[in-house]
Amino acid sequence: MKRLVALVLTLVCVLGLVGCGATLKSKDEAVTGDLPPMLMIGGQHYLGNTMPISDLSDDFECMGEITEEEANNTGLQGCKYYANKYLNSFDEFYVYQECGTPVDQNTVDNTKRQWAYVKWVREGFERA
């Protein structure tokens, strides 16, 4: 009886380990489906986090165009980005990009495309 229990426990452990190993990715295989789009500028990661807006205040000026490397496979290379000219930090900025159209304060219809400004914020940045 002890041998049977030991055999069953061994089989359960082996099958459990094989199942776990089947879901592991190699170090060269990127897992991208679970990650939001991210820009990489100046060694920092930026996430798009708000509804698009149609106009910026006069406090913002064009800082340049996003390079292919900075776009990080988002398709935003060549888009212009704008930052507040009165701030010394680069924690948030806007990108003039193709995006969905706002339906209300919390919803965007991605089937209705438009060009607008989307805010991108440095990962981990929280305004005090």
Side-chain angles (χ1 to χ4, degrees), residues 8-84:
V8 170
L9 287 175
T10 303
L11 286 174
V12 168
C13 289
V14 168
L15 291 175
L17 291 174
V18 169
C20 291
T23 62
L24 296 176
K25 304 281 183 197
S26 73
K27 68 178 181 178
D28 296 327
E29 188 176 356
V31 179
T32 58
D34 298 337
L35 301 175
M38 196 177 318
L39 297 176
M40 294 175 53
I41 299 176
Q44 298 290 320
H45 296 123
Y46 293 87
L47 305 168
N49 76 336
T50 61
M51 301 287 286
I53 59 174
S54 56
D55 295 307
L56 292 176
S57 74
D58 291 337
D59 293 346
F60 288 84
E61 67 180 4
C62 182
M63 303 301 287
E65 292 184 0
I66 296 175
T67 66
E68 187 171 343
E69 184 178 330
E70 292 169 336
N72 192 34
N73 297 317
T74 59
L76 295 176
Q77 60 274 9
C79 291
K80 293 183 179 183
Y81 63 99
Y82 300 79
N84 188 320

Side-chain angles (χ1 to χ4, degrees), residues 67-104:
T67 66
E68 187 171 343
E69 184 178 330
E70 292 169 336
N72 192 34
N73 297 317
T74 59
L76 295 176
Q77 60 274 9
C79 291
K80 293 183 179 183
Y81 63 99
Y82 300 79
N84 188 320
K85 59 187 172 187
Y86 298 112
L87 296 179
N88 292 331
S89 64
F90 195 69
D91 294 319
E92 56 189 12
F93 57 90
Y94 286 87
V95 175
Y96 190 68
Q97 66 185 75
E98 185 178 33
C99 56
T101 301
V103 176
D104 59 37

